[in-house]
Amino acid sequence: MKFITKYGKIIFLILSGLFFYHIGYQIARSDFKILSFDFSILFALYFFAYKYLSFDWFSVIFLRLVLIACTPSLSDDYFRFIWDGQLMVNGLNPFQFLPSELPKNEIFEGLNSKNYYSVYPPLLQLIFGFGAWVGNGNILANIIALRTVIILADLGVIYLIIKLLNHFKINKNQVQLYALNPLIILELTGNLHFEAVMLFFLILVFYILLTKPNNTKNILLSAIALAAGALIKLIPLMFIPLIINKLGWKKGMLFSLIVSLIMIFAFITFINTEIIFHILNSLNLYFQKFEFNASIYYLVRWLGIFVNNNNPIQLAGPLLALISFFIILWVSLKKIDVENTGIQFITRILIILSIYFIFATTVHPWYLTSLVLLGSFTQFKFPIVWSAVTFFSYSAYRIEGFHENIWLVIVEYTLVFGFIYFELKTKKLDSI
């Protein structure tokens, strides 16, 4: 124990830094065996840190800065971020044109969505534009500018987690479940996913609603924060019914009205009737064409192919989304125990998001970062398990092309659902 106290932190930082560096700078996502080995070691170090080491800001910042200058190796989404940003700085509307309709450059060749209109909301487009303006044509400088925004937002998330943990009188070390989680560091900082910015605004909503009086001023501030999060990723909009339930109908409708007006104002500066069609078309494609690392949907797909020899995604995708919507609405509108509002509210958010992902046709690893954040406050730790085993999904990226290993998907969700069942059987559920 003395050895751990004296040398544990430095050993953790050196080994974690080396493995983060190796993934960020040395290997491709097609190197699944090496990637899974590195990720497994990082998770072992993460559990060691959570059990034996106390939280400190230096470790949090150091591990993120290790990845500051790497080109994202596990995702090619950043090409679209840079592409949209370049359109912004050149005075073009990123919602108006297909990439295939515009002059080609080196960024175009890396796009995985050449024939899809952009679906990234206006505030995120402004961040893309900022990155392109700073980069001024230099791809690495563009990446570093965008990554700096993500790191700052992520540090803001961690700061607010600590504030909320103190408010709930929960051990501050719980913040390490989020702050040192390898999935969080690799997918947000390393792979340049803007869930970090969305999560900052979302936890700011929690902080205002759960620690401040629900007066008009704080309702306004929390509504602005939620709208800002939704203008990065649309996910926070699904929590509005739960917030209405918490605030009551009068204050809840005021909250909703403010969010709606901000969203309308933000989008109206970018879109017209034609562009609305473009965005809806791209969102429709998401539910009717894209499929990756799903759970219930893959079972439905297997049944559809078995019975009719046909992939049922065009029907099953929207239908599962509709089922998810009604379950989420039911969870949102259930009565909240006023004596346990804070933790119960966050637990409901965790349940809502989990339902959404369980019924989704596409579950990329970085989607689960929001569950890891919520798991820092609640009695449920299945998000940590899910954040570890979701890395199986990277087995789909191979040198010869994309092909999912369905057996690894089955292993992933067997472990996830098994752990959820275990927690539901063994934990007290009075906070739900």
Side-chain angles (χ1 to χ4, degrees), residues 379-420:
Q379 61 180 319
F380 295 106
K381 295 298 177 278
F382 70 86
I384 308 302
V385 174
W386 204 345
S387 73
V389 297
T390 190
F391 232 68
F392 289 154
S393 65
Y394 278 105
S395 64
Y397 301 100
R398 307 178 186 186
I399 295 175
E400 62 272 17
F402 178 89
H403 180 72
E404 279 192 278
N405 186 327
I406 195 64
W407 293 109
L408 284 179
V409 175
I410 291 172
V411 169
E412 173 188 347
Y413 284 106
T414 299
L415 291 171
V416 171
F417 289 134
F419 200 83
I420 291 174

Side-chain angles (χ1 to χ4, degrees), residues 208-338:
I208 297 170
L209 289 179
L210 301 179
T211 68
K212 306 293 182 183
N214 289 327
N215 54 36
T216 303
K217 175 187 173 182
N218 290 326
I219 289 174
L220 172 63
L221 291 174
S222 59
I224 291 172
L226 188 131
L231 290 170
I232 298 294
K233 302 276 184 173
L234 296 176
I235 287 288
L237 295 177
M238 75 170 67
F239 308 135
I240 289 179
L242 178 60
I243 293 173
I244 293 174
N245 186 17
K246 182 192 180 303
L247 293 176
W249 282 101
K250 186 176 179 180
K251 292 179 179 178
M253 294 311 294
L254 174 62
F255 179 95
S256 304
L257 177 63
I258 296 168
V259 171
S260 300
L261 290 175
I262 294 171
M263 296 292 291
I264 292 169
F265 177 78
F267 272 97
I268 207 167
T269 59
F270 277 87
I271 63 177
N272 53 36
T273 305
E274 179 186 6
I275 293 173
I276 290 173
F277 175 78
H278 292 172
I279 294 173
L280 291 176
N281 184 53
S282 292
L283 289 173
N284 187 52
L285 284 170
Y286 176 84
F287 288 106
Q288 296 194 4
K289 187 172 182 180
F290 296 157
E291 50 185 26
F292 179 78
N293 193 37
S295 55
I296 289 179
Y297 163 69
Y298 277 0
L299 179 60
V300 173
R301 184 184 69 177
W302 176 81
L303 289 171
I305 293 173
F306 180 78
V307 174
N308 291 323
N309 197 31
N310 182 50
N311 187 338
I313 187 171
Q314 289 190 337
L315 175 63
L319 180 60
L320 289 175
L322 189 63
I323 293 171
S324 172
F325 169 78
F326 283 114
I327 296 175
I328 288 170
L329 194 62
W330 175 74
V331 171
S332 299
L333 297 180
K334 283 185 64 180
K335 184 178 179 181
I336 293 178
D337 180 2
V338 293

Side-chain angles (χ1 to χ4, degrees), residues 196-214:
V197 183
M198 182 268 286
L199 289 177
F200 169 75
F201 288 116
L202 186 61
I203 196 169
L204 183 59
V205 175
F206 298 166
Y207 179 74
I208 297 170
L209 289 179
L210 301 179
T211 68
K212 306 293 182 183
N214 289 327

Side-chain angles (χ1 to χ4, degrees), residues 5 7 11 17 21 32 48 84 95 117 120 159 172 210 226 255 258 260 315 338 369 373 375 379 385 400-401 431:
T5 303
Y7 300 108
I11 292 172
Y21 179 87
F32 177 67
F48 168 81
D84 282 6
F95 297 115
Y117 294 101
Y120 297 110
Y159 173 77
K172 177 183 172 181
L210 301 179
L226 188 131
F255 179 95
I258 296 168
S260 300
L315 175 63
V338 293
T369 55
L373 167 65
Q379 61 180 319
V385 174
E400 62 272 17
S431 64

Side-chain angles (χ1 to χ4, degrees), residues 76-120 124-125 127-129 131-133 139 142-143 146 192:
D76 51 15
D77 287 353
Y78 72 96
F79 285 106
R80 188 61 187 244
F81 306 160
I82 295 174
W83 177 269
D84 282 6
Q86 289 180 346
L87 294 186
M88 289 283 292
V89 297
N90 285 291
L92 297 176
N93 189 333
F95 297 115
Q96 189 169 359
F97 303 99
L98 292 170
S100 57
E101 296 173 343
L102 297 170
K104 314 301 185 288
N105 58 23
E106 59 181 317
I107 297 300
F108 176 84
E109 299 306 322
L111 291 173
N112 59 20
S113 53
K114 296 180 176 68
N115 295 307
Y116 299 117
Y117 294 101
S118 182
V119 294
Y120 297 110
L124 190 49
Q125 294 291 349
I127 296 174
F128 295 161
W133 175 74
I139 294 176
N142 196 328
I143 289 171
L146 294 177
L192 220 64

